Each structure stands twice: as structure tokens, then as C-alpha cells.
Amino acid sequence: MLFLRQARVPTAFLNRLFAHVDPLEPSRLCDLRIDGGGLTSIETASTAAVPAGATVLEAGGALVLPGFVDAHTHLDKTHTWKRAPNRSHSFWDALDTLHRDRVNWTADDLRRRAGFALRCAWAHGTRAIRTHVDTGLPWAETSHGVLAELRAEWRGRIELQTVPLCAGASYGEPEGRAVAALALRHGASALGGFFQMSPELPRQLDALLALAGEHGVGLDLHVDENGDPAAEVLRATAEAVLRHRFTRPVVCGHCCSLAVQPPERQRDTIALVRAAGLRVVTLPMCNLYLQDRSDAGAPPRTPHWRGVTLLHELLDAGVPLAAASDNVRDAFYAYGDYDPLEVCAQSVRIGHLDGRLSDAIRLITSAAADLIDRPEFGRLDPGGPAHLVVTTAHSFSELLSRPATLRCRIDGKTVSTPRVPDYAELNEPAAFTATHP
């Protein structure tokens, strides 16, 4: 038995109401008992007696969080920046750069890069990841196969979910059925893709919803990843879900253009999103990096907006919302480390969530777990699993000021302090093809 004493627990994870919670420090000092691999109790600090024979761990007032959930990533593209950088930093050049780099995506290459990413995520305290996988036929067989192998290898440590990524229009064609069959055969959790505005969009969404219903799975889509006010794939998706009375989960990632639409249209679309039961995941770091850049070849200018969707408005409307890493060290985003605490800190800064820190910390824990239908993760519930991250921060200010703080993991009976792997492990073998100009 473990007894974690004087741990500062965010009130977001305490199943009780507090009359006075400082929104700048929504936490309480608690003592936690862990027995048989599970969390058995959380009591106000110093009110719980130390059980006989328990191993006492002194938290000393440090913040303790549940294991993290990274609900939207791209493990097949990750850590390709060195050999395939995006020199214009534009969205369309990112697509082209990674398309050219695909010649290097062998099973060994994918296993090396994605495995490195999972080790980073584990060291930072992550327990579940959902990754989108580029799914073009026939080469995607390798990508899905490798990720299925990694899913089995990491079982019990990180829950790894996969979703196919392809042009949404293809789901109305024979190719789309083949994509769905390939991905689901390798254990995909949902069907996914990206859509463009066109007169055919309603028909394309109808075809995808019909196919998902046929297979008994939900959807996870890339939606409106741009700053065009006329881009309303999010709205069209909500209308299609309502039209079909589709009851399985539908996740929409990005939703950037919603933020640049007229206020009345924003409110109306958010109402539709809520009525349809859509779930939204914001990707703050990648969206901040890519959106509202000057055109390729033009002189750089200061961006006029932050690229993210309407975080406060979606939260206020009761729309399920999570935040995630998205791309990491590839042509879409040059940085990142699969650290959900960095995602949370950036979400707070970019989205002005400093007045609702309880909501902010849920974006990478319980809300993210619910979004991918794994509610056993991202919580500190007595009777549930003991997946804890003990930080060296003693307040939210410290945590968000230094999110890369060293962390101790408690996983059931195991206490460890894993370290992130060295980038030297990613040095390219001589046989790899450099794909940058």
C-alpha cells in the first residue's frame, strides 16, 4: 500500500463541492491511498490516518494530476523535420513536403520515429493517445500495421488509438470503403478524414455517415483548418449528423474558421454543434504556428489572430472540448514533445483560460478521455486505477510557468521517474532520402 501525503489536488478531480475556490489556484491539499494498484481514497490532508504497513510518499504540497490523454496526434509524420523541413511554414507546403518524404516511411522508419514519440509521451505522464494515420492505398498498410504492433507493445502503459486520415470525398467511392476496411482491420477506433467546402459536401458527409453506421464506429474529422470565414465544414457536419440521427461519437478537430465568422453565425453554429452532440478538439500549438501566416514568398507580417477555435464559447455552451498536441516536429509544426502539460500551458496563454484553470486542466485529462471514449483515464477517482503524475510545482502558477518540470509517475504499485529519450537516437541512417530543397 502507498500513502501519498500532502498532495495538492486540483478541485477539478475532487468529487465534492467547495464553497470557496480561488479560480487562480483551484486545488486542495489531500492525502491519497493506493492499494492493489488502485486509488482507494482521497481525503483532506492530515485527516486520514496512515494505514499500518503503508509506504509513505511525501508530496510536500506538490501538484498531483491524473495521467494525461493526448486526443489528436500524427505519429506517422512525427520527427521528420530534420530531413523534411517546411521552409515556407505554410500549410500547403507542409502537405507537399511530407508527401515527398513518404518515400522514407518504411516499417523500420515508422517504428523508430513513432516508438520514440511514445517514449516521450510516457516520460511526460501520458496514458492514452489517439493518432491519425495518413491512409492512401496501398502504402498505408505499412503505417497501420506498424501502429497496430506498437499498440500491442505498449498495452498496459499507453492506450494507443488510430484513425485513418484521407480525403473525405473518397468515402463516397470504392477507395473509401477500402480505406475503412484497411484501418478497421488494424484496429482503428473511428473513421476519419478531411473535407473541403463544395456543393458535394452534404452528399460526401452522408456517404461517410452511412459507412460509419454500417461498421458501427464513430468519426474523428479534420475540420476547417483555415482562416476563411466561408469555411463551414463544422456546420455541415452538425447538420449531417442531425439529418441522419447519427448517435455514435463525432469528433471535429481544429475548427479554426469558426473564430473569424460573424458573431451571430458563430452562436448559431455552436448551437447546432451542441444539438448534434459533436465533440471538439483544439490544437493550439499547431494552429498558432500555421494560421494567419503571410502568403508563401511574401514578406512576413504579424498575424492578426491566434488561429484557435472559440474555446470559451464552446465551453460555455457545454460542447465537449479537449486540447491536444497535433503534429510534432514535422512540416506542419516544427516543435513539440508530446507533453500535454505544454499543450495545457499554451492553451491557457493563447486562449486566456487563466480564469478557468479547472476547465484548462480537464482539456488534457478527463475531457480528453471522454472525447476518445476512455473515461477510465484522466481522473482521480477512488475505486479507479491509480495513474498519477506527481509534479515539482506547488501551484498552478509554477506549473504553467515551467510545464517541463520533472515528474514522478505512480502507476498502481510502481513509482518511477522516466526520462525523455535523447534526440541522438533519431539520427538518420545513410540510406534515408533528404526531401527538403
Side-chain angles (χ1 to χ4, degrees), residues 117-136:
L118 288 167
R119 288 162 59 202
C120 294
W122 176 255
H124 291 310
T126 297
R127 291 297 312 217
I129 288 179
R130 173 174 283 188
T131 181
H132 296 257
V133 186
D134 280 22
T135 308

Side-chain angles (χ1 to χ4, degrees), residues 241-253:
V241 166
L242 291 169
R243 185 165 63 245
H244 283 258
R245 295 186 174 87
F246 190 78
T247 57
R248 294 195 172 272
V250 177
V251 179
C252 292

Side-chain angles (χ1 to χ4, degrees), residues 114-412:
F116 186 94
L118 288 167
R119 288 162 59 202
C120 294
W122 176 255
H124 291 310
T126 297
R127 291 297 312 217
I129 288 179
R130 173 174 283 188
T131 181
H132 296 257
V133 186
D134 280 22
T135 308
L137 304 173
W139 54 265
E141 187 78 42
T142 298
S143 301
H144 280 276
V146 168
L147 287 163
E149 292 172 9
L150 288 171
R151 181 189 298 121
E153 180 184 330
W154 281 84
R155 185 169 291 120
R157 291 177 292 169
I158 292 179
E159 167 83 11
L160 178 58
Q161 295 185 352
T162 56
V163 177
L165 177 60
C166 65
S170 67
Y171 283 113
E173 308 297 334
E175 178 189 356
R177 287 190 167 272
V179 164
L182 184 158
L184 294 170
R185 174 162 48 83
H186 286 291
S189 299
L191 297 182
F194 58 90
F195 290 88
Q196 302 292 333
M197 291 298 292
S198 80
E200 296 298 309
L201 178 58
R203 183 189 65 80
Q204 294 166 357
L205 287 166
D206 289 344
L208 177 54
L209 287 165
L211 186 60
E214 207 176 293
H215 286 285
V217 295
L219 304 177
D220 194 332
L221 308 176
H222 284 60
V223 168
D224 299 328
E225 192 177 357
N226 57 64
D228 180 4
E232 294 193 301
V233 176
L234 176 64
R235 185 182 185 90
T237 301
E239 290 170 342
V241 166
L242 291 169
R243 185 165 63 245
H244 283 258
R245 295 186 174 87
F246 190 78
T247 57
R248 294 195 172 272
V250 177
V251 179
C252 292
H254 298 287
C255 308
C256 305
S257 66
L258 181 66
V260 294
Q261 293 167 0
E264 288 187 11
R265 191 65 167 179
Q266 292 172 342
R267 289 190 290 271
D268 194 51
T269 295
I270 289 174
L272 273 175
V273 166
R274 179 177 180 180
L278 302 191
R279 308 168 184 186
V280 173
V281 56
T282 182
L283 296 314
M285 297 188 297
C286 189
N287 290 156
L288 183 74
Y289 180 81
L290 281 179
Q291 299 304 313
D292 202 25
R293 282 188 177 268
S294 53
D295 294 334
R301 64 164 177 79
T302 302
H304 298 166
W305 69 298
R306 302 184 182 203
V308 298
T309 192
L310 297 180
L311 308 182
H312 289 276
E313 292 80 356
L314 289 165
L315 287 168
D316 290 342
V319 174
L321 179 70
S325 291
D326 202 15
N327 298 73
V328 170
R329 298 190 68 241
D330 65 27
F332 283 97
Y333 183 57
Y335 315 115
D337 199 32
Y338 294 98
D339 184 358
L341 270 185
E342 181 188 14
V343 174
C344 181
Q346 295 289 16
S347 298
V348 169
R349 295 166 186 161
I350 296 166
H352 288 175
L353 297 177
D354 39 348
R356 54 197 314 170
L357 292 176
S358 287
D359 288 324
I361 200 67
R362 279 193 284 258
L363 297 180
I364 59 164
T365 53
S366 56
D370 292 343
L371 185 133
I372 66 168
D373 287 312
R374 294 308 303 264
E376 69 272 28
F377 292 114
R379 287 172 165 80
L380 298 176
D381 288 342
H387 299 152
L388 282 67
V389 178
V390 183
T391 75
T392 54
H394 294 78
S395 68
F396 273 93
S397 175
E398 290 181 11
L399 184 73
L400 298 174
S401 298
R402 195 176 289 172
T405 175
L406 185 67
R407 298 158 209 179
C408 171
R409 296 188 61 122
I410 299 177
D411 294 285

Side-chain angles (χ1 to χ4, degrees), residues 95 97-106 134 139 435:
L95 283 174
T97 298
L98 286 167
H99 178 76
R100 286 185 282 110
D101 186 61
R102 214 170 270 149
V103 66
N104 293 314
W105 294 10
T106 63
D134 280 22
W139 54 265
T435 53

